[in-house]
Amino acid sequence: MPLSNESTYTINDIYALPEGERAELIDGKLYMMAPPSRLHQELVGELFTVIRNHIGKNGGSCKAYIAPFAVFLNENEKNYVEPDISVICDINKLNDKGCQGAPDWIIEIVSPSSQRMDYQIKLFKYRTAGVKEYWIVNPDTYTVTVYGFDNDFNSGQYSFKQKIQVGIYPELSIVIQDLL
């Protein structure tokens, strides 16, 4: 939920949050983040493990990160997100603070309180920032909505039972149900 304030927030406001509070910043609007559920964390952990193992086994140059990991979209002071999983293939975007610019692949696990953010606000923001692939995993509906912004290679909606080919790794397919 965005804070109801007419101010435009910056990354400094993110760093000024009290210990333990997390928020994301999109176009100067601050959105507080609720603690994740057990299933959310399980999905994030399992997906991250599959991706990281795939990169490692194939000698890939991309790096996978799990939230909380700072992504400074558009490289400005008004956009800061913490995707559940970020895969960055241009290591020049990485520094000690996080990723400066758009990751290649982002996965968000949606919760009832984050649906508007993940399906609308972040969808638009990630697409316009240059993210190549965006997955929205919905544990309530057992679906994965995939957006391939580069070439619509695998855009569509999938059930947890279906094999989903990863756009940035054509040799990798994931069946979410197999991870649970």
Side-chain angles (χ1 to χ4, degrees):
M1 294 266 168
L3 291 180
S4 59
N5 191 326
E6 297 300 318
S7 294
T8 298
Y9 293 93
T10 68
I11 290 170
N12 290 333
D13 295 302
I14 294 287
Y15 291 132
L17 289 171
E19 185 70 30
E21 285 190 30
R22 291 178 46 217
E24 293 180 304
L25 180 68
I26 297 179
D27 296 329
K29 292 182 182 175
L30 202 58
Y31 297 86
M32 301 308 292
M33 297 170 68
S37 70
R38 179 202 57 81
L39 180 56
H40 178 281
Q41 290 301 89
E42 187 175 339
L43 283 165
V44 169
E46 295 296 332
L47 282 164
F48 176 77
T49 300
V50 168
I51 295 164
R52 187 167 164 208
N53 287 345
H54 177 79
I55 293 169
K57 286 179 185 173
N58 292 286
S61 60
C62 300
K63 299 284 185 182
Y65 295 92
I66 196 167
F69 177 73
V71 173
F72 302 90
L73 288 173
N74 306 114
E75 301 180 62
N76 65 31
E77 292 295 310
K78 295 183 180 178
N79 290 286
Y80 167 98
V81 293
E82 292 182 0
D84 289 315
I85 299 172
S86 303
V87 178
I88 297 101
C89 298
D90 180 355
I91 59 168
N92 293 318
K93 291 182 179 180
L94 298 172
N95 63 27
D96 286 341
K97 290 187 176 190
C99 178
Q100 305 293 323
D104 294 85
W105 181 19
I106 288 177
I107 299 175
E108 296 281 12
I109 312 300
V110 74
S111 65
S113 65
S114 72
Q115 287 193 25
R116 182 173 175 268
M117 276 291 285
D118 294 334
Y119 285 107
Q120 296 175 12
I121 297 168
K122 286 184 177 178
L123 171 63
F124 176 77
K125 193 51 142 175
Y126 291 161
R127 180 180 209 134
T128 58
V131 172
K132 294 178 182 172
E133 184 169 359
Y134 177 37
W135 288 23
I136 304 170
V137 179
N138 189 329
D140 288 338
T141 61
Y142 302 101
T143 59
V144 181
T145 305
V146 175
Y147 296 94
F149 298 136
D150 249 5
N151 55 17
D152 291 335
F153 51 86
N154 63 347
S155 291
Q157 189 163 352
Y158 301 83
S159 78
F160 275 21
K161 295 177 182 181
Q162 290 179 285
K163 186 183 292 188
I164 307 168
Q165 182 181 343
V166 177
I168 68 166
Y169 293 116
E171 69 284 357
L172 176 61
S173 295
I174 299 173
V175 178
I176 302 292
Q177 181 174 287
D178 292 349
L179 305 177
L180 301 174

